[in-house]
Amino acid sequence: FGFKGCQKIHGPQIRNLLQAKDFFLFDCDGVIWHGEKAITGATTVVNSLIRRGKNVVFVTNNSTRPRENYMHKFYRLGFTDVMLEQIFSSSYCSALYLRDVVKVCGQVFVIGCDGLRTELQEAGIPCVEEEEDQPDATIFTCPLAADVKAVLVGHDDKLTFLKLAKASCYLKDPECLFLATDNDPWHPLSSGRILPGSGSLIAALEVASGRKATVIGKPSRFMFECISSQFRGVDPAQCLMVGDRLETDMLFGSNCGLDTMLTLTGVSQMEEAQEYRNSDVSTNHSLVPDYVVDTIADFIPAFEE
Ligand code: PLP
Ligand code: CA
């Protein structure tokens, strides 16, 4: 009697799995690319699945670009068959959440990159204007907007203390929602350095406000709800979620009732998955992948006769 999950699969098992599933959800960074470089074999895999009539979508927690921009990136890196409708980013899904779930009437205060604002604008969500650089502005003197109904926090490479201070003030109003594009703690850079993720900014605001943010991106189910509402008749039993991070991708798959696959080209390693599997804490078992492959390039033989 062994533990369930963490099954390293090869040749014929991969072929059977790819035949059995008809809906593939791919995380982006660490699975199909590293920053600006496609992972070896990933373009062949994605293009082959699409040409075989499989449904393929991409679920990324990266909120910094609008979907348009991702489409160009996919094309540039050689994923020539990917269309806008297949891309689900935490910025796009945050815009859908504000528009369709919250039906926000009032402004949104955004901590994030321009790409996040662009997605909100396209969905018709009004955002508090970013002020031009005013080196003397402080929280003692700066104006605050009167009709802020949500604070949305994502990755922001121009974060300032003033932005954190303003967000904290808006969050004092219990009617003002506290949303996060994602809660990723950090991201690896190809140089071996790391980038603090949205999660680190959200932690600062959670402490300052004494509140908990609602997370839109993985591992929250909302991204899957966006996918289901746009692809009719998606059956979770027919889906495979492929990702590189246990705490986001595998948990997302488990939360949505999908089979999960960890690729070892990104953040998480086999040992961490096995630790979660062997853990006595039962909630840790939701982070255990059903299947493990070294890289999605291991799919390629399954496409050959
Ligand atoms: N957010 C930012 C700012 C990132 O740089 C990255 C990865 O590089 C991510 C999120 C994670 O993206 P994904 O969910 O595609 O792994
Ligand atoms: Ca990833």
Side-chain angles (χ1 to χ4, degrees), residues 186-219:
W186 52 272
H187 305 287
L189 297 175
S190 50
S191 60
R193 297 184 179 183
I194 64 160
L195 204 61
S198 313
S200 59
L201 313 189
I202 291 147
L205 284 172
E206 287 185 340
V207 171
S209 66
R211 297 176 55 177
K212 273 269 172 224
T214 300
V215 177
I216 304 297
K218 299 170 290 183

Side-chain angles (χ1 to χ4, degrees), residues 160-202:
T160 62
F161 183 79
L162 185 57
K163 281 195 213 176
L164 284 179
K166 285 184 185 177
S168 309
C169 292
Y170 290 128
L171 289 171
K172 278 186 67 69
D173 174 1
E175 307 264 280
C176 177
L177 297 174
F178 183 10
L179 307 178
T181 59
D182 65 279
N183 205 13
D184 289 4
W186 52 272
H187 305 287
L189 297 175
S190 50
S191 60
R193 297 184 179 183
I194 64 160
L195 204 61
S198 313
S200 59
L201 313 189
I202 291 147

Side-chain angles (χ1 to χ4, degrees), residues 27-29 59-64 155 184 187 195 218 244:
D27 164 66
C28 293
D29 202 73
V59 276
T60 178
N61 270 359
N62 193 327
S63 66
T64 62
H155 184 82
D184 289 4
H187 305 287
L195 204 61
K218 299 170 290 183
D244 73 306

Side-chain angles (χ1 to χ4, degrees), residues 7-18:
Q7 189 195 352
K8 188 88 177 260
I9 57 170
H10 304 276
Q13 297 157 302
I14 296 180
R15 184 188 294 256
N16 291 342
L17 184 62
L18 297 191

Side-chain angles (χ1 to χ4, degrees), residues 80-238:
T80 49
D81 295 351
V82 173
M83 296 191 299
L84 195 71
E85 295 70 31
Q86 291 166 281
I87 304 170
F88 292 83
S89 65
S90 60
S91 45
Y92 172 61
C93 295
S94 297
L96 294 182
Y97 187 83
L98 283 162
R99 189 189 69 190
D100 302 336
V101 179
V102 172
K103 301 185 170 73
V104 71
C105 46
Q107 298 192 85
V108 178
F109 182 75
V110 179
I111 291 184
C113 295
D114 291 342
L116 179 56
R117 293 167 181 281
T118 307
E119 284 292 6
L120 297 185
Q121 268 153 22
E122 282 185 14
I125 314 281
C127 304
V128 178
E129 281 284 332
E130 262 198 299
E131 284 160 55
E132 297 304 311
D133 282 344
Q134 289 172 320
D136 299 336
T138 72
I139 196 62
F140 301 105
T141 56
C142 72
L144 290 176
D147 59 341
V148 171
K149 296 291 185 246
V151 168
L152 173 62
V153 188
H155 184 82
D156 189 340
D157 53 8
K158 298 198 180 71
L159 180 74
T160 62
F161 183 79
L162 185 57
K163 281 195 213 176
L164 284 179
K166 285 184 185 177
S168 309
C169 292
Y170 290 128
L171 289 171
K172 278 186 67 69
D173 174 1
E175 307 264 280
C176 177
L177 297 174
F178 183 10
L179 307 178
T181 59
D182 65 279
N183 205 13
D184 289 4
W186 52 272
H187 305 287
L189 297 175
S190 50
S191 60
R193 297 184 179 183
I194 64 160
L195 204 61
S198 313
S200 59
L201 313 189
I202 291 147
L205 284 172
E206 287 185 340
V207 171
S209 66
R211 297 176 55 177
K212 273 269 172 224
T214 300
V215 177
I216 304 297
K218 299 170 290 183
S220 142
R221 286 178 46 87
F222 185 68
M223 287 183 112
F224 189 68
E225 287 167 20
C226 294
I227 295 166
S228 316
S229 73
Q230 294 184 24
F231 289 78
R232 300 219 154 253
V234 182
D235 175 6
Q238 292 299 313

